[in-house]
Amino acid sequence: MISIGIQGAEVIKTAGSFLLASHMHPDGDAIGSMIGLGLALRDIGKNVAIISGQPVPPSYHFLPGSEMVSTPQGVHGRRFDCGIVLDCTGLERLPEEVNKLFDCCGTLINIDHHVSNDFFGAVNIVDSSASATAEILYQVLSALKIGISPDVATNLYAALVTDTGSFRYQNTTNRCHLVASLLLERGADHHLVQQCLNEQKTLASIRLLQKGLSTLSLDQEGQVAWMTISRLNCLDEGCRMEESEDLINYPKSIAGVEIAVLFKEIGDHEVRIGFRSKSFADVNALAGRFGGGGHMRAAGCTVKGTLQEVEALVIDAARDYLQKKREVL
Ligand SMILES: [Mn+2]
């Protein structure tokens, strides 16, 4: 069980206005956590603004309350008693214009489950054993006796589903299932979440998968597998880069692979890298070599350079990491 601390509980109870935000390119946990907490606070009469650097991707528009998420410009000049940053390792991962807004907040609360969290808040509710930030939020709301409506439950449940890959990843624990069960009891719409998250893919995103699979590579030892998505491929298919999020599961699903890597060209000489590991490799440490981080089994970083340069650099580092592991054994 996590501890909110007396200060955290006091702040949430007494503050009248809240500003909620999460990391750049928000994923399902970030979005579901922001909206879920936003709705729960609004239900008890609090004034809540939710801001995001990027608009909520269309695939998450089904979430009840998704219209609450606005741009930083929407709250410009307002002051808030409390700022809550969700699912974010450090303030530098907030979009710059969002980060600035937190200067206009009273107490800053940091709620997260990444091992690499740097405890930037005045109050830090961080538990790296939680499968998702939403799992921590469920406990925070329960401890504060804040009611969980079916809409709040659906948001938190969707967050759990995305961060655990529909309860498949290694972060799926007894507590995660317990929280999922309690959310279903409170009216979370399982069918809606599964259908909207897993069965609403665009034809374009499947075509992007086709192109991505043509780049699938495996190292000599058969332990590192990777794929690349270029901006041109995205453009050709009329896809947004976010639609390539799940593609990393394909290299990861190959027998014998320990580290899977997905390279996404996000700008001129800028590549976003996703890492997954299957059973022993610490990809948080690997991503850390390139200024990124995350979790033991899932992490990411952004590296400057062309796709080819970055691919060579990062795959070398991954192979080198596994080579050193083999030497130890
Ligand atoms: Mn998360």
Side-chain angles (χ1 to χ4, degrees), residues 47-253:
N47 206 319
V48 182
I50 305 175
I51 47 164
S52 172
Q54 291 83 26
V56 173
S59 51
Y60 292 105
H61 284 177
F62 76 93
L63 288 172
S66 66
E67 71 288 343
M68 280 175 82
V69 182
S70 71
T71 61
Q73 290 76 26
V75 296
H76 195 76
R78 278 175 65 186
R79 282 198 57 83
F80 297 88
D81 299 332
C82 177
I84 305 183
V85 181
L86 296 154
D87 198 46
C88 192
T89 51
L91 287 175
E92 73 289 343
R93 287 206 61 212
L94 287 172
E96 207 188 324
E97 62 274 34
V98 174
N99 202 338
K100 272 194 224 135
L101 285 170
F102 279 96
D103 293 341
C104 306
C105 288
T107 313
L108 185 61
I109 301 182
N110 161 21
I111 304 180
D112 186 32
H113 69 127
H114 293 90
V115 267
S116 50
N117 189 285
D118 66 11
F119 289 76
F120 56 83
V123 175
N124 298 288
I125 306 172
V126 178
D127 177 6
S128 62
S129 73
S131 65
T133 295
E135 185 182 313
I136 303 175
L137 278 181
Y138 176 84
Q139 297 171 76
V140 170
L141 294 174
S142 302
L144 293 174
K145 302 203 165 31
I146 296 175
I148 294 178
S149 69
D151 284 354
V152 172
T154 295
N155 275 282
L156 299 185
Y157 187 79
L160 281 184
V161 166
T162 28
D163 260 22
T164 60
S166 297
F167 307 106
R168 282 184 299 123
Y169 304 154
Q170 212 172 352
N171 61 359
T172 308
T173 58
N174 167 33
R175 190 177 58 194
C176 163
H177 274 299
L178 190 66
V179 169
S181 161
L182 292 165
L183 288 171
L184 290 171
E185 193 177 86
R186 277 161 182 74
D189 191 337
H190 166 78
H191 183 70
L192 177 78
V193 170
Q194 286 301 341
Q195 204 177 38
C196 291
L197 291 181
N198 297 324
E199 293 169 352
Q200 295 278 4
K201 296 204 191 318
T202 59
L203 177 62
S205 75
I206 301 296
R207 292 230 161 99
L208 185 66
L209 163 66
Q210 195 175 22
K211 289 206 165 137
L213 284 175
S214 71
T215 70
L216 183 65
S217 312
L218 188 65
D219 79 322
Q220 234 174 352
E221 287 78 23
Q223 286 199 302
V224 182
W226 65 99
M227 265 166 72
T228 60
I229 301 290
S230 70
R231 280 201 294 172
L232 191 65
N233 284 164
C234 263
L235 211 64
D236 278 352
E237 300 306 338
C239 267
R240 287 169 299 103
M241 217 24 122
E242 305 90 79
E243 292 180 79
S244 60
E245 219 60 55
D246 318 333
L247 302 194
I248 196 162
N249 291 317
Y250 290 90
K252 191 190 163 200
S253 66

